[in-house]
Each structure stands twice: as structure tokens, then as C-alpha cells.
Amino acid sequence: MTDVTAGQSVALLSQWYDFEGGTLTDLDTTPTISIVNIGTGTTALAATTTGVTHPAAGSYGYTWTPTAALAAGAYLATWSGLGDGTAVTATETVTVIAPASAEATNTSPAGVWYATREDVQRALDVQPSARSSRQIDRALESASRDAEGLCHRRFYPVQATRFFDWPASQYRPSWRIWLDDNELISLTAITSGGAAIDPADVLLEPNRSGPPYSRVEINIGTSATYGGGDTHQRDIAITGLWGYRNTETTLGATTTALATTTATTLTVDGDTSASVGVGSLLRIDSERLIVTGRTMAATGQTLATDLTVQKNGTTVAVADASGFAVDETLLIDGERMLITDIAGSTLVVERSVDGSTLAAHTTGATIYAARTLTVTRGALGTTAATHTTSTTVHRWEPPGLVRDLVIANAMNRLLQEQAGYARTSKTSSGAKSVSVETLSLESLRTQTYDAHGRKARHRGV
């Protein structure tokens, strides 16, 4: 038996003897080689002599490179030729193993936040600017990684294949695998020694509280088993969705197609625009995207009546208000407005938000909204794909306490930076000064850890 990792090369060799125990002898002609999946019968290599070498008398070789996407499992390599005019064959089993990586590609946590830039801007009541945005983004990155360190887990969902040693080598039940910090949300496929195990024969535990699942067990009422590889190392490959929970909210839809897999801008409808921010993790079909920027796009609507230069002029008449959403930010000329309500064909707005200047606007002025998103494609182990217009957009939701902690931590970092990390406050007794961070964040950190922290698991040694 020969093992090969998908995407890498393996040298296959056949040797032919004039009789058992005899000397090596050449065949009449160069033999063909073919390779098929033993379990499914799928052809991985059609019969061919191309690439077959003749390194020595009676020996024929072939270098096979299974594609990285080839299904893991057992394959049968068959050599066929003629010896003294008689058909002869030789076979060899080749075990194809999924690429030996701890995770699939594109699974870096960089840029995956548990709150958005807009969350922090609203909490601090600061107006958007390139300088403040970069500062907030940096604080969110640090705060998100800090929350993961506090809770000893990563919350975001990752589509990946991960590898585990066969448990017998670790002196534990042969049907159980502890996943430790590799928590599982859902299982797609599992193999052991290159052989597929039916997911129906696998139990995800703890079933009463998961996901996340912390262990994978063979149903001992079935004939399925772990093991079968040459060694216990990385014998088991588990493909699935990893992380804490895959909680999603359906927002709206795309208004333009993503016609290529490399396009990095996406235009969405009002419902989506009102609900996403920089840092949002979206899903369109099976692809995940991270929002890294937002810009204004024409809504196709114009002012139906003039707007005065008065703060109480809060009604914006349009031809059709159905395409707008509450909490959506509009731009008319140079003034930004926040939609607070919608009545018929009238938008009720808050004027001159985000530090913009109150101004008069005339009938026919174009109305823009923050509906063009700059995105990172194929994030968290997914594959970039094309998507049609009007495809539904979903947003992944982090746990509420984790989101609150990240916002609070990011705010504290920003305010402490302004004060040179010297912000202090008197205790209730006035006896001493303590860090504001200690007063404001300790309770929230404790609540977050109590609710979502991964506690130590004790095992007998």
C-alpha cells in the first residue's frame, strides 16, 4: 500500500518476473496504468502509457500527482501489458490523503471582528474620517483577538478540513476524539486512514448543548472504526464548519451581479445597507465575505420637493420609499441624513449627521446611500464564486456579550490612547485612583467569560 497527499506526487513502480522467484524480465510492450477509486469506481487516471518510464529491466514506473481536490480514499492502480503474448496485470492500492494542513486556505482571523467600525463610531459619537477609521479598525482588531484570548475560543465560522491522531495512541477510548480548541459547528465528511466514514455513523457531542461540539464519537452500535492508516498520526481528517455557532440574520439582497470571482465591490439594497458596517461578516450563497469599506451609490431616487436649511425640516419626499430602510444613511449634495422612520413616500430623517453641514436642497437632487461595499472575497475557507442580482445577503452574528465587550474594549483603547494610558478615576471612598479600564471593563469581561469562556477540561493522566 502507498500513501500520497492530494496535490503532491508519488512514484509508482511495477516489476515483472519470468516466474515467481525468477529474474526481472521486460514485457512485450510498455504497459498501461489506470487508477480508480475503490469505493466509488470513479476514474482518477484513464489507462495510459504516457509518462510511463522504463528505469531498468522488468521495471516500469509512473509519477502520479492526484489533484488537490481529489476525494480522499483508497484507489487501485492497475498495470496492464503483454508478456510472451499473454495478457498480464499487476495492482497496487494507493491511499489518497487530504492536503496535510491544520486548516483550509483563507482562514486567517485578521480582519474578522466581532463588532463594526460603525458600532464604535456611534458609541463614541465621532464623525467618520480616514484618520479615525484607521484608528478604530486597529482597536477593533486588537479587541477581537483579546476577546478570543479571554474566552480561549474563536467564535467565527470557518469551513475547513482538520487532522487528528487516531485516539488509541493517546490512551483514550478508540471511538472518541477530543477536539480541544477545534470546536465543531457541523460535520460535512470524515475519513480515517483515507477511508470515508459515513457521517450517519458519527455522534457529535455534547448533543444536549452543542454546537459547539467538543468531541466526535463513532456510534459503537455501527461497524465504523477509526484507524487504517500507516501510522496513528493525522489518521483522521474531519471536514466541516468550525467555530462557536453559525447564527445568521437575513438582511436584504444584492442589486448588481458579482460576475467574476475577483470583483471586490458589491452593491446592495437599502435593507442590507442599513444593517452592515465595516467588519461585518456576510454570506452570499456559500461564499463568505468580509466588509472592509463602504461608499455612496446612487439610489435611483431624487428629491420630490425642496428641503429647507432648517434642522426641523426632517421629511424627505421621494417617488418610491419602498427601496429605503430605517437606519440607512443618505447623502444629498454634501449633507448626510439618517432615516429614522418611513411613512408612505416620505422619509423621516435626522439632518446633518456624521459631522456634515446642514444645507438647502432643491427638487430633483440625486439621493445617494452607503450601498457600495468593498469586500474580501472567499473568506474563512470558502471559495469565491459568481452571484446574480437579487441574491439574498446573510450576516453572521457574534454572541451579544462578545460584541459588547469588543466595542467597550475598542472604545477604552481609543480613549486611553488620547490620555496616554493615564485615565484614572477615584474609588467610591475617594481613597485612591484606579484605572478607568479596571472599573468599566472588569464586570463585562467577567460576564463574557462566564457565558462564553471555554473552561479547562481535566483528564486523568
Side-chain angles (χ1 to χ4, degrees):
M1 176 181 288
T2 300
D3 292 349
V4 60
T5 300
Q8 299 181 9
S9 299
V10 62
L12 303 178
L13 182 69
S14 65
Q15 293 184 308
W16 308 84
Y17 297 86
D18 51 6
F19 57 87
E20 186 175 356
T23 59
L24 289 167
T25 183
D26 287 343
L27 299 180
D28 298 347
T29 59
T30 300
T32 64
I33 182 174
S34 62
I35 302 175
V36 299
N37 185 303
I38 295 175
T40 65
T42 304
T43 298
L45 176 69
T48 183
T49 58
T50 303
V52 175
T53 61
H54 188 205
S59 299
Y60 298 89
Y62 182 82
T63 299
W64 182 45
T65 305
T67 64
L70 189 68
Y75 289 76
L76 186 67
T78 302
W79 296 86
S80 301
L82 292 174
D84 294 331
T86 303
V88 291
T89 61
T91 60
E92 177 183 6
T93 300
V94 181
T95 300
V96 175
I97 304 170
S101 167
E103 298 180 352
T105 57
N106 303 327
T107 59
S108 168
V112 181
W113 306 333
Y114 301 121
T116 67
R117 179 194 296 170
E118 289 77 2
D119 288 333
V120 178
Q121 287 173 337
R122 283 190 291 267
L124 290 174
D125 195 22
V126 297
Q127 64 187 61
S129 70
R131 178 177 297 179
S132 67
S133 293
R134 286 193 295 269
Q135 192 178 24
I136 290 171
D137 293 353
R138 176 171 48 80
L140 280 169
E141 177 70 25
S142 299
S144 296
R145 304 293 78 82
D146 178 76
E148 293 170 351
L150 172 69
C151 295
H152 307 294
R153 62 173 21 126
R154 287 167 289 185
F155 296 92
Y156 54 84
V158 176
Q159 186 67 40
T161 298
R162 295 179 179 173
F163 295 83
F164 300 84
D165 292 351
W166 183 37
S169 68
Q170 301 179 36
Y171 302 102
R172 55 189 182 188
S174 60
W175 62 85
R176 177 180 299 155
I177 297 174
W178 286 101
L179 302 177
D180 296 324
D181 61 334
N182 293 279
E183 296 176 307
L184 189 62
I185 298 173
S186 60
L187 175 67
T188 302
I190 180 170
T191 64
S192 182
I197 297 175
D198 188 345
D201 294 339
V202 173
L203 304 175
L204 302 180
E205 301 292 349
N207 68 87
R208 293 181 299 277
S209 60
Y213 300 108
S214 59
R215 65 184 189 271
V216 176
E217 300 185 3
I218 290 289
N219 184 341
I220 59 176
T222 70
S223 60
T225 60
Y226 292 136
D230 291 340
T231 73
H232 65 273
Q233 294 176 304
R234 292 189 175 185
D235 177 87
I236 298 163
I238 299 176
T239 300
L241 191 64
W242 305 85
Y244 187 66
R245 282 193 176 91
N246 188 29
T247 303
E248 292 185 331
T249 297
T250 301
L251 303 180
T254 60
T255 57
T256 58
L258 274 173
T260 69
T261 59
T262 56
T264 57
T265 57
L266 169 68
T267 304
V268 296
D269 61 9
D271 289 329
T272 303
S273 173
S275 303
V276 302
V278 175
S280 291
L281 177 59
L282 307 180
R283 180 177 62 81
I284 302 176
D285 295 327
S286 60
E287 180 186 357
R288 295 190 190 275
L289 310 92
I290 301 173
V291 179
T292 59
R294 301 175 73 194
T295 56
M296 293 291 176
T299 63
Q301 297 270 348
T302 60
L303 276 179
T305 59
D306 291 348
L307 267 180
T308 63
V309 62
Q310 292 179 326
K311 192 71 173 176
N312 62 359
T314 58
T315 56
V316 176
V318 294
D320 181 9
S322 62
F324 296 93
V326 172
D327 283 342
E328 189 174 13
T329 300
L330 307 180
L331 177 66
I332 303 177
D333 297 326
E335 182 184 351
R336 288 174 176 257
M337 309 175 191
L338 178 67
I339 300 176
T340 60
D341 205 350
I342 299 174
S345 59
T346 299
L347 310 177
V348 181
V349 300
E350 179 183 349
R351 300 285 298 274
S352 62
V353 299
D354 294 339
S356 61
T357 302
L358 186 68
H361 310 283
T362 58
T363 301
T366 301
I367 301 175
Y368 296 87
R371 297 180 181 179
T372 298
L373 309 180
T374 304
V375 294
T376 298
R377 302 292 304 277
L380 300 181
T382 63
T383 302
T386 59
H387 307 284
T388 60
T389 303
S390 301
T391 303
T392 302
V393 179
H394 308 269
R395 182 187 65 200
W396 176 74
E397 303 290 352
L401 279 171
V402 174
R403 177 175 176 270
D404 290 346
L405 177 62
V406 168
I407 294 172
N409 207 344
M411 290 172 59
N412 185 74
R413 288 173 186 269
L414 295 169
L415 294 174
Q416 288 284 17
E417 284 181 5
Q418 294 173 6
Y421 284 90
R423 294 176 69 230
T424 60
S425 176
K426 293 287 186 182
T427 61
S428 58
S429 64
K432 61 179 180 177
S433 295
V434 296
S435 167
V436 173
E437 177 181 6
T438 301
L439 293 174
S440 59
L441 291 181
E442 190 60 36
S443 176
L444 184 54
R445 289 175 66 87
T446 299
Q447 292 177 54
T448 303
Y449 179 77
D450 288 346
H452 303 293
R454 190 168 67 88
K455 313 305 187 291
R457 174 169 56 83
H458 300 283
R459 281 185 281 180
V461 178

